[in-house]
Amino acid sequence: MRDIETELRPILLHGRGVVGGVAEGEALVTRETISGWGGVNAMTGTVIESRHELKGTSFAGKVLVFPGAKGSSGWSGVFHTARLAGTAPLAMVFTTMTTKVALGCVVMRVPSVVDLDRDPFALIESGDRVRVDGDAGTVTIWKRER
């Protein structure tokens, strides 16, 4: 039997805001880091890295939940181009802070949160509705119906 009260209650995570603002949308989750230069088609927001679990999937208009960035300093340039092309994520939630991902968040100007009090990969699945509040440093999750 399903507990309706539990299903309606959102899950709230607390962390540290990287870029302020608030955005809400559908989550796209990967447990793999993302390479900017050579790993993403900025014009479509599609992951093109040959061995990546999201290969062929676009993060455009989604809340991207991922561990962080890998590769060269070209990461911020590629994600800045995605913003200019209108294919950037709505927001980002990640677990490992690096200068690459921090600069990427800033040039995309999307709400971003890191250093969460619980593991986002244990709680967020692709398709869940997620609200990222970079000002408050919170992530709210509403589980999708199964």
Side-chain angles (χ1 to χ4, degrees), residues 40-47 57-60 82 87-88:
V40 171
N41 177 335
M43 299 311 290
T44 62
T46 302
V47 176
T57 304
S58 176
F59 51 63
T87 62

Side-chain angles (χ1 to χ4, degrees), residues 75-96:
W75 207 89
S76 60
V78 169
F79 280 80
H80 177 71
T81 301
R83 181 184 69 83
L84 295 174
T87 62
L90 285 175
M92 297 199 307
V93 175
F94 55 97
T95 56
T96 304

Side-chain angles (χ1 to χ4, degrees), residues 1 8 17-18 24 29 31 46 51 71 77 89 91 103 111 126:
M1 181 179 280
L8 298 177
V18 178
E24 184 176 317
V29 180
R31 289 180 177 268
T46 302
R51 292 188 177 100
L103 183 55
S126 290

Side-chain angles (χ1 to χ4, degrees), residues 44-76:
T44 62
T46 302
V47 176
I48 59 172
E49 186 177 344
S50 61
R51 292 188 177 100
H52 199 281
E53 68 179 330
L54 292 182
K55 184 177 190 260
T57 304
S58 176
F59 51 63
K62 308 277 182 164
V63 175
L64 183 60
V65 181
F66 67 120
K70 69 177 174 183
S72 72
S73 58
W75 207 89
S76 60

Side-chain angles (χ1 to χ4, degrees), residues 67-130:
K70 69 177 174 183
S72 72
S73 58
W75 207 89
S76 60
V78 169
F79 280 80
H80 177 71
T81 301
R83 181 184 69 83
L84 295 174
T87 62
L90 285 175
M92 297 199 307
V93 175
F94 55 97
T95 56
T96 304
M97 174 61 87
T98 63
T99 55
K100 286 185 277 290
V101 74
L103 183 55
C105 293
V106 170
V107 300
M108 281 192 296
R109 303 177 188 164
V110 298
S112 307
V113 176
V114 69
D115 295 336
L116 295 160
D117 58 352
R118 290 186 279 170
D119 180 6
F121 302 112
L123 298 168
I124 306 171
E125 299 173 88
S126 290
D128 289 346
R129 188 123 189 109
V130 176

